[in-house]
C-alpha cells in the first residue's frame, strides 16, 4: 500500500522528478538533491540518461521483440513520453501496468495515465507475490503471454538485506517463457569517490541506496538470454547516435534479457 505522504522527508520518486526539472516535489526533495549534487554534479545527468534508456528499450521490445505487455515497477512520477506512449506508438494495442508506492505518484498517475490499455497499481516492489496477483495485473495483463518486466533505476533503493535478487527471481518465475527483463541500476564503478559520496548523502537523507558493480547488476539475469550488447553503461545500450562520453558521465548500467 502507498506510504502516507510525508513532505518533510525526501522520496526517491520526487528527488528524481526534481532532477528531471519537474515540479512535483517538495523542499525536502530539493534539499536532498542539492546536497547530492554538491558531492557529485554528474548525478544531474543520471535521470535523463535513464529516460533515454527507457525509450530505447521499450521501442526495441515493442518493435523488434514483439512484446505487447509491460509491467513498470517503481515507475515514479509521470514523465512524457511514458512507457505506454512509446509502446503504443508501435502498436496501439500494447498494455502497460505501472506500480509505485508513493501517494503523490499514485494521485498523479491516476489523473494522467488515462490511455486505454494502462492501469496503475499501488504496490511495493518488496511484495512481488502481491503485485502479480493484483486485480490491476490480472485485468490488464495476460500472464499466459510474454511480458516485459521493467525495473528502471529502482533496484539500487533495495539494500542487500531486502534480497533484491530474490525479489527479481520471484517476479520472473511467475512470467511465461519469452518474457523479458529490463534493468537499469546506478553504479560507482567509473567514478567511485563521487558516487560513493552521493550514496552516503542519500542514505543520510533516509533514502536507502546500494550502488552495485557491473558483475552485481549482471547477477540479476541468471540463466537468461542477454540481448546485445549485454550489461553495459546505459549510454552504450543501442544509442540512437554515437555520442562520446567520459567515465565520469557513466551513472548507470543497464541490460535487457529474455526468459528462455
Amino acid at each position: 500500500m502507498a506510504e502516507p505522504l510525508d513532505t518533510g522527508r525526501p522520496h526517491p520518486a520526487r528527488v528524481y522528478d526534481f532532477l528531471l526539472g519537474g515540479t512535483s516535489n517538495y523542499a525536502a526533495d530539493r534539499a536532498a538533491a542539492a546536497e547530492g549534487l554538491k558531492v557529485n554534479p554528474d548525478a544531474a545527468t543520471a535521470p535523463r540518461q535513464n529516460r533515454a534508456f527507457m525509450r530505447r528499450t521499450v521501442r526495441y521490445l515493442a518493435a523488434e521483440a514483439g512484446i505487447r505487455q509491460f509491467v513498470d515497477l517503481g515507475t515514479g512520477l509521470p514523465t512524457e513520453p511514458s512507457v505506454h506512449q512509446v509502446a503504443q506508438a508501435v502498436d496501439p494495442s500494447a498494455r502497460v501496468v505501472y506500480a509505485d508506492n508513493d501517494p503523490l505518484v499514485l494521485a498523479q498517475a491516476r489523473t494522467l495515465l488515462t490511455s486505454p490499455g494502462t492501469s496503475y497499481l499501488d504496490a511495493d516492489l518488496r511484495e512481488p507475490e502481491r503485485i502479480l496477483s493484483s486485480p490491476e495485473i490480472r485485468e490488464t495483463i495476460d500472464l499466459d503471454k510474454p511480458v516485459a518486466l521493467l525495473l528502471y533505476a529502482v533496484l539500487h533503493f533495495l539494500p542487500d538485506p531486502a534480497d533484491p535478487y530474490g525479489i527479481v527471481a520471484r517476479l520472473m518465475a511467475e512470467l511465461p517463457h519469452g518474457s523479458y527483463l529490463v534493468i537499469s541500476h546506478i553504479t560507482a564503478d567509473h567514478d567511485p569517490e563521487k558516487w560513493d559520496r552521493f550514496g552516503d548523502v542519500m542514505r543520510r537523507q533516509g533514502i536507502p541506496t546500494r550502488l552495485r558493480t557491473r558483475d552485481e547488476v549482471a547477477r540479476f539475469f541468471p540463466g537468461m538470454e542477454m540481448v546485445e550488447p549485454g550489461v553495459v553503461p546505459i549510454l552504450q545500450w543501442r544509442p540512437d547516435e554515437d555520442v562520446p562520453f567520459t567515465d565520469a558521465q557513466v551513472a548507470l548500467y543497464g541490460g535487457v534479457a529474455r526468459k528462455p
Side-chain angles (χ1 to χ4, degrees), residues 106-167:
L106 175 64
Q108 291 212 9
R110 286 180 172 165
T111 300
L112 299 176
L113 300 177
T114 57
S115 297
T118 64
S119 62
Y120 186 88
L121 170 62
D122 167 17
D124 192 306
L125 178 58
R126 293 167 293 187
E127 302 174 313
E129 287 78 16
R130 178 175 172 270
I131 290 170
L132 292 180
S133 64
S134 68
E136 291 85 352
I137 291 283
R138 298 291 173 173
E139 292 168 6
T140 308
I141 301 296
D142 182 351
L143 291 177
D144 291 326
K145 296 180 179 179
V147 177
L149 176 65
L150 311 177
L151 296 169
Y152 295 114
V154 64
L155 291 170
H156 45 252
F157 297 122
L158 294 182
D160 294 339
D163 190 21
Y165 296 103
I167 288 171

Side-chain angles (χ1 to χ4, degrees), residues 220-239:
F220 285 107
F221 301 98
M224 300 187 72
E225 300 169 351
M226 295 301 305
V227 174
E228 290 295 330
V231 176
V232 295
I234 60 175
L235 292 164
Q236 292 181 329
W237 201 93
R238 302 190 177 205

